[in-house]
Amino acid sequence: MNTDLITQELVTLRDYWRYAISRFNAADLAYGHGTGNAGDDAAFLLLDSLDLPIDTLDPFLDARLLPHERKLLAERIETRVSTRKPSSYITGHSYIQGVRFHVDERVIVPRSHIGEILFAEYTNPHGSNWLPDPMMVERAVDICTGSGCLAVIMAKFFPQAEVDAVDLSADALEVARLNVAEHEVEGQVTLHQGDLFKPLDGRRYDLIITNPPYVDHEALAGYPPEYQAEPRMAHDGGEDGLDLVREILREAPKYLTPEGGLLCEIGSGREILEEEFPHLEFTWLETAESQDAVFWITAEHLGVK
């Protein structure tokens, strides 16, 4: 596609939004990295590329764009269609509840339900229904931290806490380091490379959160290019998707304080998990898009004394 011709014909943000939607629909792109359809994905790509608020399209629709802005948008629309990379990789940013994070191909694009839960629980004027009092959290850990976004959010909500963040991927931790620095929480968040709890030297935590790889092999085999662009190890949860979840459940009691708890995202494995661990009392937390993708379980119910 001749981007020079496009920039001559398209002038306003509305022009580029309409054009992007048409191109995305014609290319049958896949979504799910913070957007769910062509219109929303196009809006994100355009607004974030222009460093505008990603949830405020209308006031800017009829703004005439400068020549270099038109060139940038035309190129990024073409990149989205030709490479099928998620838009977040093209702009270099992803958002959780409006908080912006750096992302690139070294990490999965953040879209955890846990971010929504943390904001819902800790911005509730009546206090959290399930999670610990934020002023009482002295130690917290994010297992499989990826880009570090959830560790950063925990540091914001738990001002008194030391937050550890663990990932097996050294590349992912480089991205996490960028986000920790950008959000100025270096004094609170410590990054560790290693397999799940192994780098933590027997420490005890008031809160463990984890969004581990939980995609089963059948689903992985059917992934569209947008998902294949992400690190496979960030998705691969074994044959049924729950290999790491099982290990986390076995190991977590060794790392929890008696008053603590585990918040874990598992995707669609609730039925398997409840059948395999009938003695455990899971509380399934509802989000905007799911009723049983995330469970909360207390240290007490995990047998911690």
Side-chain angles (χ1 to χ4, degrees):
M1 187 67 64
N2 188 333
T3 55
D4 289 337
L5 180 60
I6 293 165
T7 59
Q8 293 172 23
E9 297 294 327
L10 306 183
V11 177
T12 67
L13 185 59
R14 186 188 300 276
D15 293 337
Y16 282 89
W17 188 43
R18 196 279 312 155
Y19 172 70
I21 293 171
S22 296
R23 291 293 311 279
F24 291 2
N25 282 332
D28 196 24
L29 301 184
Y31 309 100
H33 296 86
T35 63
N37 56 64
D40 289 346
D41 200 67
F44 169 82
L45 180 65
L46 301 180
L47 291 169
D48 198 46
S49 294
L50 296 174
D51 207 23
L52 293 171
I54 61 164
D55 57 353
T56 312
L57 178 63
D58 287 353
F60 305 110
L61 277 173
D62 294 314
R64 292 174 62 88
L65 301 174
L66 296 171
H68 75 274
E69 293 174 325
R70 289 149 64 179
K71 184 174 187 295
L72 174 67
L73 296 188
E75 289 174 348
R76 289 191 168 179
I77 291 167
E78 184 60 31
T79 298
R80 178 70 176 94
V81 171
S82 62
T83 69
R84 300 218 26 193
K85 290 181 180 179
S87 289
S88 284
Y89 284 163
I90 297 169
T91 71
H93 302 119
S94 184
Y95 294 75
I96 293 183
Q97 301 294 302
V99 181
R100 182 158 127 170
F101 295 96
H102 173 79
V103 295
D104 59 36
E105 284 88 343
R106 292 173 289 180
V107 295
I108 192 172
V109 177
R111 49 191 179 274
S112 173
H113 298 295
I114 291 176
E116 178 186 339
I117 289 169
L118 291 175
F119 272 86
E121 292 286 305
Y122 289 125
T123 58
N124 182 347
H126 303 294
S128 173
N129 293 315
W130 307 105
L131 306 185
D133 181 330
M135 301 307 293
M136 301 300 291
V137 176
E138 296 180 357
R139 275 188 176 277
V141 63
D142 177 16
I143 301 294
C144 305
T145 193
S147 63
C149 54
L150 295 180
V152 168
I153 290 170
M154 283 202 293
K156 302 285 191 181
F157 281 127
F158 309 141
Q160 318 271 8
E162 296 178 25
V163 178
D164 288 322
V166 183
D167 206 281
L168 188 58
S169 167
D171 286 342
L173 290 174
E174 288 301 313
V175 178
R177 193 165 285 111
L178 293 174
N179 285 316
V180 167
E182 184 172 324
H183 288 274
E184 300 180 339
V185 291
E186 300 102 315
Q188 267 185 281
V189 178
T190 303
L191 303 175
H192 305 266
Q193 184 183 359
D195 187 7
L196 301 180
F197 296 97
K198 288 182 178 140
L200 299 178
D201 302 322
R203 300 175 195 182
R204 296 271 179 171
Y205 296 94
D206 303 305
L207 177 63
I208 298 171
I209 68 169
T210 181
N211 179 25
Y214 55 70
V215 181
D216 63 70
H217 286 173
E218 182 179 354
L220 274 176
Y223 261 2
E226 283 84 350
Y227 289 86
Q228 293 178 22
E230 297 178 296
R232 182 182 173 89
M233 69 180 293
H235 289 284
D236 189 351
E239 188 62 33
D240 67 0
L242 294 177
D243 284 0
L244 274 77
V245 176
R246 293 183 182 93
E247 189 171 349
I248 288 165
L249 280 169
R250 287 193 295 266
E251 293 295 313
K254 303 173 189 174
Y255 296 89
L256 281 169
T257 62
E259 299 78 24
L262 167 68
L263 186 66
C264 178
E265 183 166 334
I266 69 159
S268 59
R270 174 178 178 173
E271 188 174 327
I272 298 171
L273 206 64
E274 290 185 328
E275 183 175 343
E276 193 166 328
F277 296 91
H279 59 290
L280 294 183
E281 188 173 325
F282 299 106
T283 298
W284 298 94
L285 304 186
E286 186 174 349
T287 67
E289 296 183 359
S290 174
Q291 295 183 330
D292 54 8
V294 179
F295 69 77
W296 165 252
I297 187 166
T298 64
E300 179 183 4
H301 290 139
L302 283 169
V304 179
K305 298 179 180 178

